[in-house]
Amino acid sequence: MIESILLENFRIWGGRHEIPLRPLTCIYGPNSSGKSSIMYGLLVLRQTLENADGPQVYLKSIGKYADVGDFKNLIHSHNAELTLRLGLAFRGNRNNRSVERKDTLRRITLEFKSFGSLQGMAKLEKFTIEIASDTALTFCAEMDGFGLEESGGSKFRDYLVDSLHPVMKDNLSDSFESSLGMITDRMKFEFKNGMPSRMTWMDHSEVTDEQKLDLDQLSAAWLSLADHLREELFNQLSRFRHIGPLRQPLSRIMTHSGQCREGKGVGTRGENIVELLASLGDQEVRFRGEKKKLIEQINDCLSSMCYDYSIDLETTDKLNGTGVLRILTLQQKSTGTWAKPFDVGSGISQSLPIVIQLLSEPSKSHFIEQPEVHIHPSLQVELAQLMVDIVNEIEYNTQIVCETHSPEILLRILGEVKSKNLNNQLLSLLYIEPPLVALTDTTKCLIMEVNEYGSVKKPWPGGFFPEREAEARGYRSGK
């Protein structure tokens, strides 16, 4: 699970900021305060690492997941002389391999500087990975690769040895531990699939046969550890699902034919809902104490939101040998009549992708922007309830980051804390405060602590939610 995102000099975020995340994170703040930039920083980090291969690594600010312009456009105050840092902290999988320690918090930080006359591109200058609270590795860019500047102290040796195959552990040379210094003195690293892993000797001269054996063992140990760390990192990045603020209207006829691809989610605008239902609609999902088919759980949620429709997926025979055609259908429950997706109003088109995403892939990390758009306040409450109930399904390890302006969503979540249906330690409530002076100041992330009784411990900055303040206080105090 991602525990924090690091932004430094990224768009409106000047200076260094670490944004804390929990299983359920709600982000509030005025328009243009930098809320969406939190997500875009993570997306830029992901697409950069997915393309990191070779002795040099470049910032990929325009790519598969995000387009934030070139370096001069995204750097704070458009000052290309500044250093950009992006990073995240996450928990490793305790059950994976013996290399794990009690403290499995990992942190990675990527540091970029502009280069070239136009200052529109940036190159990775420093890559730091903290594999435990007291063990960090720092790789610095050089002419023909990356040098390991800091080797993490004596515990780095333990991680290296633990990552080796048992046969290799039993055959370590007597000088293996004393040769660890060669990994910083004589080794250069190249990135492979997002992690500095390829190792080459800088200088073969004056190396004894025993030292060569040590270097071979060091190389094997590092490749094994790097593979493990890469797997952990990309397990977190690949869990990420993004639903944008404006989901696309449902078409009059929504179909999908051909091969169903997993790992896409519903899409930023909900464009993949039919494909996702075709792939996962018959799988069983445990939710609210019952295990049912996914499509049945979706219809139960629509019913709790007072929608008078249920959905189904009609499957036809093969069409001209091109595959199976799947058609999304909706039935009005009160009349029994069938309706086209386009004819049921905008509310269901905005809420349906969120419901399908959360229920179809509950083990993912979901970043949802403005779920309340085009949705009645009473239904916003039900969306908040859906988020709380999904997070409470402990077996899924769900993470939801909700960027919203909705007081209804907030009040329901606080009410669930007060009712002991949501542990306040699972909730991160953030307020993003915009800069006082554009370009010269920076936005800030304020943590709005919530106690076990569902009460926000300090007032909202600047009278945020002023029209709801009295109601909210009365609600939280139980009056």
Side-chain angles (χ1 to χ4, degrees):
M1 180 172 293
I2 297 175
E3 298 219 343
S4 66
I5 297 173
L6 171 68
L7 302 176
E8 183 172 343
N9 296 325
F10 181 71
R11 304 176 90 180
I12 201 171
W13 292 85
R16 188 181 183 95
H17 304 268
E18 190 159 5
I19 294 91
L21 306 181
R22 289 184 180 174
L24 179 56
T25 301
C26 293
I27 303 176
Y28 285 85
N31 291 330
S32 301
S33 59
K35 300 186 300 297
S36 296
S37 291
I38 298 171
M39 173 203 63
Y40 280 107
L42 185 60
L43 293 176
V44 170
L45 177 68
R46 178 182 180 183
Q47 65 193 22
T48 297
L49 286 172
E50 286 185 355
N51 289 275
D53 207 358
Q56 294 182 326
V57 175
Y58 301 94
L59 177 70
K60 195 167 184 62
S61 56
I62 302 173
K64 180 178 178 181
Y65 307 113
D67 179 352
V68 292
D70 64 13
F71 183 76
K72 195 168 184 179
N73 181 72
L74 68 86
I75 195 70
H76 182 65
S77 299
H78 306 297
N79 181 359
E81 300 300 320
L82 293 175
T83 297
L84 170 69
R85 290 183 179 87
L86 299 173
L88 74 156
F90 62 93
R91 290 282 172 184
N93 181 359
R94 291 179 179 273
N95 300 319
N96 200 348
R97 289 164 62 168
S98 61
V99 73
E100 296 295 339
R101 292 289 188 270
K102 291 181 180 179
D103 183 2
T104 58
L105 182 67
R106 318 288 196 211
R107 295 180 187 273
I108 67 160
T109 305
L110 281 69
E111 180 179 308
F112 299 90
K113 290 184 178 293
S114 69
F115 73 97
S117 58
L118 298 179
Q119 298 181 322
M121 297 181 66
K123 186 167 64 173
L124 181 64
E125 293 292 329
K126 196 174 283 189
F127 177 92
T128 301
I129 180 164
E130 185 179 310
I131 56 180
S133 59
D134 56 355
T135 308
L137 311 175
T138 300
F139 299 84
C140 298
E142 298 176 359
M143 288 293 293
D144 52 353
F146 288 79
L148 181 56
E149 186 177 88
E150 298 289 341
S151 62
S154 60
K155 289 202 172 182
F156 180 44
R157 183 260 184 203
D158 298 335
Y159 279 90
L160 284 173
V161 172
D162 278 0
S163 66
L164 285 171
H165 189 279
V167 174
M168 293 191 70
K169 287 183 188 180
D170 295 335
N171 291 279
L172 288 178
S173 66
D174 295 336
S175 58
F176 177 81
E177 186 165 355
S178 62
S179 68
L180 282 174
M182 290 192 294
I183 203 169
T184 56
D185 298 337
R186 295 180 178 270
M187 287 291 190
K188 282 290 180 80
F189 295 80
E190 292 185 11
F191 272 74
K192 181 181 179 182
N193 300 328
M195 186 70 64
S197 53
R198 296 192 189 103
M199 299 173 67
T200 56
W201 296 355
M202 290 188 287
D203 183 9
H204 284 256
S205 63
E206 300 180 3
V207 177
T208 66
D209 290 340
E210 186 177 29
Q211 286 176 325
K212 288 181 180 179
L213 175 61
D214 293 337
L215 288 171
D216 287 341
Q217 291 177 335
L218 281 172
S219 179
W222 170 248
L223 287 174
S224 178
L225 178 59
D227 284 344
H228 173 60
L229 295 173
R230 179 191 298 109
E231 180 184 358
E232 283 191 342
L233 172 60
F234 280 94
N235 277 346
Q236 296 300 320
L237 293 175
S238 63
R239 292 181 73 219
F240 191 82
R241 298 289 186 267
H242 171 216
I243 301 179
L246 291 173
R247 280 71 71 186
Q248 68 182 18
L250 299 178
S251 303
R252 188 169 297 278
I253 298 178
M254 300 185 67
T255 65
H256 170 71
S257 61
Q259 184 68 31
C260 296
R261 294 168 292 174
E262 295 186 14
K264 293 174 57 178
V266 298
T268 303
R269 303 188 65 225
E271 66 272 17
N272 302 325
I273 60 174
V274 179
E275 182 175 343
L276 192 65
L277 287 173
S279 175
L280 304 176
D282 287 334
Q283 78 171 12
E284 291 194 333
V285 177
R286 182 176 298 281
F287 182 60
R288 291 173 176 167
E290 294 186 273
K291 195 170 186 178
K292 298 181 181 179
K293 286 186 176 181
L294 169 62
I295 204 156
E296 294 176 358
Q297 296 283 21
I298 292 169
N299 284 326
D300 286 348
C301 281
L302 293 177
S303 180
S304 69
M305 297 173 72
C306 300
Y307 282 120
D308 190 27
Y309 292 95
S310 61
I311 66 168
D312 202 353
L313 210 60
E314 179 183 334
T315 302
T316 71
D317 294 331
K318 292 183 179 180
L319 299 176
N320 300 323
T322 60
V324 177
L325 182 67
R326 300 169 178 88
I327 304 172
L328 180 67
T329 60
L330 291 93
Q331 185 178 35
Q332 189 172 24
K333 293 186 291 185
S334 59
T335 64
T337 58
W338 295 92
K340 303 293 185 184
F342 179 78
D343 298 324
V344 298
S346 59
I348 196 169
S349 71
Q350 296 301 300
S351 53
L352 188 59
I354 299 172
V355 173
I356 293 176
Q357 179 60 59
L358 293 178
L359 288 173
S360 64
E361 296 185 304
S363 61
K364 304 300 182 184
S365 296
H366 312 270
F367 199 112
I368 306 171
E369 293 187 87
Q370 298 179 36
E372 70 271 16
V373 172
H374 287 300
I375 297 177
H376 189 275
S378 64
L379 303 189
Q380 296 174 30
V381 170
E382 294 302 326
L383 277 180
Q385 189 66 54
L386 171 62
M387 295 179 200
V388 169
D389 292 344
I390 284 284
V391 166
N392 278 333
E393 295 286 345
I394 299 175
E395 64 181 279
Y396 294 130
N397 197 29
T398 305
Q399 185 166 35
I400 300 173
V401 181
C402 176
E403 181 220 310
T404 177
H405 298 282
S406 170
E408 283 76 20
I409 288 177
L410 174 63
L411 291 176
R412 172 51 65 93
I413 291 173
L414 295 178
E416 289 298 285
V417 173
K418 178 182 177 181
S419 302
K420 308 302 181 186
N421 295 325
L422 177 66
N423 189 324
N424 66 315
Q425 297 302 309
L426 300 179
L427 174 64
S428 178
L429 182 59
L430 307 177
Y431 178 80
I432 308 305
E433 187 174 58
L436 297 176
V437 181
L439 296 182
T440 60
D441 202 355
T442 179
T443 198
K444 297 176 183 177
C445 176
L446 306 179
I447 300 173
M448 309 298 292
E449 293 187 44
V450 177
N451 65 23
E452 61 183 307
Y453 305 106
S455 177
V456 181
K457 293 183 179 180
K458 58 185 178 183
W460 288 91
F464 197 68
F465 290 147
E467 75 283 1
R468 299 281 180 163
E469 188 68 15
E471 177 185 349
R473 288 186 181 279
Y475 182 86
R476 292 197 295 268
S477 63
K479 296 179 180 180

